[in-house]
Amino acid sequence: HNEENAVKTLLPWVLLSFVWAAQAQSFPTRAVTMVVPFAAGGPVDTVARILAEPMRKSLGQPVVVESTTGAGGSIGVGRVARAAPDGYTLSIGHWSTHVVNGAVYPLAYDLLKDLVAWVKANREKVNVGTAGAGSSTHIAGIYFANEIGAKLQFIPYKGTGPAMKDLMGGQIDMMVDQLSNSIPQVKAGRIKGYAITAKERSSAAPDMPTVDEAGLPGLHIAIWYGIWAPRGTPKEAVAKLNQAVRDALADPDTRKRLGDLGMEIVPPERQSPEALGAHQKAEIEKWWPIIKAADIKLN
């Protein structure tokens, strides 16, 4: 319940109070901390470190990346939700931490048809790896199972890394994972990529079809990223932080590094606090019913 409230506390930037506006005029005067809710070396940590340097140039102050792990990322998110709303503590996360967690915690690639047929034929024998109960990989797997009408056996791991290791070793049959995490293994031929769960192909894997092309239309799952500040953060601080992120996303080197990870950068008109708040609300309305119906049991 506390974590659910913590996630709700971060909704949307457009509702932030302007009470401290006068104090924020000289913002920032010291380092800004960006809290990663997962262990160092993971995909969220990687994105945070890519953004930190160009954001530093824009803000004129260091952006320090810190990891606060536990409970599927909800502990790190909660830390920022409870932080002073002064713009100096930010939460970087994604679909799992800022949409899924609110429901989970009391807080020739035309082969997809063959894959679906094989899964249906084997049903409860199919082992699907996840990064843990309630993780984005788990919810994505449940969505896949629901769409094809099959019951699957989900095997929770302590993170995506161990799950990927067992997938490559043949200990599990499949996994629904972030492209940025899986694409190196796909390109190296260690695992087989069947389809992208999006409407359009990824520039990082242009030969891989979308689920619509591969025979399972509508199975769209995007592990999108965002950066949040506590409710009550001054308007001027939010504006400067938002501009720093926009500057970072406009930097050619940053765009290339994110693109190499299979990440698509939203157009400038969607790089606003209001757009992030609206998108997060829409995602909650889509995913929470699916997650609640799955009755996920946490370890």
Side-chain angles (χ1 to χ4, degrees):
H1 181 68
N2 291 336
E3 285 78 4
E4 179 174 341
N5 288 338
V7 173
K8 288 181 178 177
T9 301
L10 298 173
L11 283 172
W13 294 50
V14 69
L15 301 179
L16 299 180
S17 169
F18 303 155
V19 174
W20 294 273
Q23 296 174 298
Q25 290 175 356
S26 60
F27 175 89
T29 59
R30 54 186 171 86
V32 173
T33 298
M34 192 185 305
V35 177
V36 173
F38 299 108
V44 180
D45 181 66
T46 299
V47 172
R49 294 182 187 281
I50 289 174
L51 293 175
E53 176 57 21
M55 285 181 67
R56 180 198 66 76
K57 291 179 181 178
S58 180
L59 292 170
Q61 294 289 343
V63 176
V64 181
V65 177
E66 292 185 3
S67 293
T68 299
T69 64
S74 60
I75 292 178
V77 173
R79 170 189 165 187
V80 179
R82 293 186 296 271
D86 55 12
Y88 289 99
T89 308
L90 305 178
S91 169
I92 184 169
H94 51 40
W95 171 69
S96 179
T97 55
H98 288 73
V99 173
V100 169
N101 278 356
V104 173
Y105 289 88
L107 82 160
Y109 289 99
D110 60 348
L111 299 176
L112 192 54
K113 292 179 181 178
D114 293 337
L115 172 65
V116 171
W118 176 80
V119 168
K120 286 184 174 180
N122 290 276
R123 290 185 179 271
E124 297 185 21
K125 298 178 183 178
V126 178
N127 292 324
V128 183
T130 77
S135 65
S136 59
T137 50
H138 187 193
I139 304 306
I142 289 172
Y143 189 40
F144 171 72
N146 289 349
E147 288 295 299
I148 67 173
K151 181 173 181 174
L152 306 177
Q153 294 297 309
F154 293 100
I155 311 299
Y157 288 83
K158 293 182 178 180
T160 307
M164 179 61 69
K165 182 179 179 181
D166 271 10
L167 179 63
M168 291 189 291
Q171 281 75 39
I172 56 176
D173 299 308
M174 61 177 291
M175 182 165 65
V176 184
D177 190 22
Q178 296 181 52
L179 180 63
S180 60
N181 189 59
S182 298
I183 196 168
Q185 313 303 337
V186 173
K187 288 184 175 180
R190 299 187 184 98
I191 60 174
K192 185 170 188 59
Y194 283 91
I196 303 290
T197 59
K199 295 180 181 179
E200 299 178 355
R201 293 193 182 198
S202 169
S203 58
D207 294 331
M208 192 179 298
T210 67
V211 284
D212 302 73
E213 295 172 315
L216 198 58
L219 188 77
H220 300 149
I221 308 165
I223 311 297
W224 51 268
Y225 285 69
I227 297 176
W228 290 259
R231 184 171 57 188
T233 301
K235 177 183 177 181
E236 286 80 1
V238 171
K240 286 189 178 181
L241 290 165
N242 178 250
Q243 189 59 53
V245 175
R246 292 169 66 95
D247 290 344
L249 295 178
D251 177 71
D253 181 62
T254 301
R255 296 181 69 87
K256 181 181 185 305
R257 293 176 69 185
L258 292 175
D260 289 343
L261 293 174
M263 295 187 174
E264 305 287 341
I265 299 174
V266 298
E269 61 269 21
R270 291 182 57 197
Q271 297 173 13
S272 69
E274 296 80 8
L276 174 60
H279 184 66
Q280 184 178 18
K281 183 176 183 292
E283 285 284 88
I284 287 172
E285 291 172 351
K286 172 183 176 178
W287 289 102
W288 278 23
I290 296 172
I291 296 165
K292 296 288 188 181
D295 192 25
I296 296 168
K297 304 300 182 185
L298 300 176
N299 297 330

